[in-house]
Amino acid sequence: MLTLLKIRNLALVEELSWDLGSGLISVTGETGAGKSVIVGALKMILGERADKGMIRTGENTCTIESIFDLKDPQEINAILEEGGLPPSEDTQIIIRRSIGTSVNRQFINDSPVTLTLLKKVGEHLVDLHGPHDHQSLLSQERQLAMLDAYASTEKMLSEYRSTYRTWRLKNQELEEIKNAENASEQELELLRYQLEEIQSANLNPEDGDDLQERYQRSSNSTRLQELSSQAVSALTGDDGLLDRISELQRIVRELEKYDNSLSDKLSSLETASIELQDLEATLTDYTEELDIDPSAAASIEERVNLVESLKRKYGPSIEDVIARQNTIAERLDNIENRSEKIENLVNELGETRRHLEGIGVKLTIQRKKSAPKLAKEIASQLKELGFKQSAFEVELTTQKDPTLHGLESCNFLFGPNPGEPLQPLRQIASSGEISRVMLAVKSSLAEQDSTPLMVFDEIDANVGGEIARAVGKKMALLGQLHQVIAITHFPQVAAIANHHYVVEKEVTSGRTRSKLFQVEGELRINELVRMLGGGGQQARAMAASLLEN
């Protein structure tokens, strides 16, 4: 669950440190008190793009930090490792964002991350729903994913999708080969010429720096021989360094006869003599190697010119020229042997399609078996949320061709009023109805949903008092399997929560600040009385009754 949320300099919040508990957590307060800042902070933790206008007036940066304590961080660690980050060493995931007037940064466990990676991690940590956050519920792909979660088809679906991708790749390959039939004779001649030109050069990656070094040596061999000979002469000629070193060694040996303590101090002279002799041998061998045959030098120069010409045409590097050779060869092979290749691919496609449909049929059977059960479960949840005579169905429609998601599409059909035909969810206009349908779906999938935190931002808007209480009960039941934050204006929802927090504005030193604090006992009753819209003993009695019930 989310154990800590820290906010600094975000809108009206100067500084907030919120330690959260488990179960259902209600957040209440007057309109404009700053409840939306909490939602905004959570959205930033989820990877939403930051608006610099949210930085508190007079400040340059704002920061949001959250700590999630996970029962099993394996799924998050897999995402981190895929993104090139080290896995978490314990069950804690720390996310921090810093939004500045010029630079924005985000971190997971103190490692800098991209916004894309943060969003991917956030999707597995928080499920946030507000009055306008139901687009995922209206998507047929998302509806099918919900059915699959309920039907536990993960392993079967993974095998199906792997086979589907293979089938699609083979289809693309077949289309490319068929398109090659349109190649003109002029294009074929050009391809054959280009392939012959590159192949005849017999290129390899060593034709790069190594060939250039050989060319430099051969083209400057005369000067190199002259300089290396001068160096050898300086070492071995009359009065050369080696002769003078020998004379110096004789003098040192005389010194050592009169003072043995000099032996260690002058030992480096022996080392210098040996190294100079090695240097002379190396230079002598090098001079002999430089005696390059003119025909060999001409051959090297010709090879350099050939390689440079190919790089200008097909480069800019040797590796690029070799890659171009492979591309041309593959293109020619597809054109010249297309009949055989088409026949082989058609056979492979048929076999892959049969395998794909075999897995797809098993997937369909599992879905059809689970669809009415899920529909019945959601319908039951809807009745508890005030839709006493509503109907709900999970409709599966066979597709003409296989898709990445299977052999059928899925449509959630809902009829809130008896006697009226069921309609797809996307055709229902009421946000209040959609909110309750979403809550019913979430409740039905509570055990399959692995998201630690669910946030409901005023989804109880536009519903009556008894319905609001039913919504609160449903959230409380979700709170037994997940941590749930409900931002609400309804006392019926706030009263049923395990923990109740209030957001309030205060003015100090001429500045407005939002603060969040937990209410219990009398303070909680006072807040419920405010939400009920009146004071007096009757309102207090009603507030106390809501808490007791």
Side-chain angles (χ1 to χ4, degrees), residues 234-493:
L235 288 167
T236 61
D238 294 339
D239 199 30
L241 279 175
L242 289 175
D243 285 345
R244 297 175 70 179
I245 285 286
S246 296
E247 177 63 18
L248 184 56
Q249 285 177 307
R250 185 189 65 76
I251 295 171
V252 166
R253 283 193 288 271
E254 279 293 313
L255 281 170
E256 290 173 348
K257 287 179 183 179
Y258 297 103
D259 187 353
N260 287 333
S261 66
L262 291 171
S263 180
D264 290 338
K265 297 175 182 178
L266 300 174
S267 61
S268 59
L269 181 61
E270 190 68 27
T271 302
S273 176
I274 293 171
E275 289 181 351
L276 285 172
Q277 290 175 45
D278 289 343
L279 177 60
E280 185 270 331
T282 300
L283 286 170
T284 299
D285 291 342
Y286 178 72
T287 305
E288 292 174 357
E289 289 173 3
L290 284 171
D291 189 14
I292 299 174
D293 179 58
S295 62
S299 176
I300 293 172
E301 184 176 1
E302 183 180 346
R303 179 68 175 172
V304 168
N305 290 335
L306 173 62
V307 170
E308 290 303 312
S309 173
L310 292 174
K311 283 164 67 176
R312 283 193 298 272
K313 289 182 179 180
Y314 311 107
S317 68
I318 295 290
E319 290 76 11
D320 292 325
V321 177
I322 295 172
R324 183 68 177 277
Q325 173 186 325
N326 295 334
T327 302
I328 294 170
E330 184 179 351
R331 170 76 170 154
L332 264 174
D333 185 51
N334 285 342
I335 295 172
E336 295 175 339
N337 302 298
R338 56 181 172 265
S339 297
E340 182 183 350
K341 282 182 169 290
I342 287 173
E343 183 180 353
N344 290 338
L345 269 174
V346 167
N347 291 334
E348 289 175 13
L349 266 171
E351 186 178 340
T352 306
R353 173 74 179 253
R354 285 189 292 274
H355 181 51
L356 179 67
E357 289 180 344
I359 305 169
V361 167
K362 292 179 183 178
L363 190 59
T364 299
I365 292 171
Q366 188 71 10
R367 286 169 171 172
K368 286 184 175 180
K369 182 180 177 182
S370 298
K373 294 179 181 179
L374 176 59
K376 184 178 179 181
E377 175 68 28
I378 294 173
S380 174
Q381 299 283 350
L382 285 167
K383 282 180 172 58
E384 295 175 13
L385 290 170
F387 294 104
K388 300 297 183 182
Q389 300 184 62
S390 66
F392 192 94
E393 288 184 11
V394 177
E395 180 185 65
L396 294 173
T397 304
T398 303
Q399 300 284 89
K400 182 181 178 182
D401 291 306
T403 71
L404 180 63
H405 309 289
L407 305 180
E408 55 274 324
S409 62
C410 180
N411 212 352
F412 285 1
L413 304 178
F414 180 50
N417 303 307
E420 296 297 322
L422 275 65
Q423 298 288 341
L425 280 183
R426 59 184 175 274
Q427 295 181 14
I428 297 175
S430 168
S431 62
E433 287 182 336
I434 286 292
S435 296
R436 282 185 282 164
V437 172
M438 182 275 298
L439 186 56
V441 172
K442 284 291 177 184
S443 298
S444 301
L445 296 169
E447 292 185 7
Q448 289 80 19
D449 196 334
S450 61
T451 311
L453 171 62
M454 292 185 178
V455 181
F456 297 101
D457 180 17
E458 298 185 5
I459 71 157
D460 49 13
N462 304 318
V463 297
E466 280 304 311
I467 301 301
R469 183 165 179 79
V471 168
K473 284 183 178 180
K474 200 61 65 181
M475 289 183 188
L477 288 171
L478 274 174
Q480 295 177 9
L481 293 171
H482 303 265
Q483 184 186 39
V484 178
I485 296 176
I487 297 170
T488 180
H489 285 292
F490 271 87
Q492 294 91 337
V493 175

Side-chain angles (χ1 to χ4, degrees), residues 104-119:
N104 296 339
R105 293 174 181 170
Q106 46 276 335
F107 303 85
I108 298 179
N109 293 341
D110 290 329
S111 296
V113 297
T114 63
L115 210 55
T116 301
L117 181 59
L118 178 60
K119 191 170 186 178

Side-chain angles (χ1 to χ4, degrees), residues 28-73:
T28 65
E30 297 277 6
T31 300
K35 299 187 296 298
S36 61
V37 177
I38 294 171
V39 177
L42 287 170
K43 284 184 176 180
M44 289 187 190
I45 290 300
L46 298 181
E48 187 172 288
R49 293 198 174 275
D51 180 4
K52 294 178 176 59
M54 291 290 286
I55 301 174
R56 183 169 170 78
T57 304
E59 302 294 337
N60 294 320
T61 60
C62 73
T63 57
I64 302 104
E65 183 176 340
S66 63
I67 300 178
F68 288 87
D69 195 355
L70 306 180
K71 185 177 180 180
D72 181 8

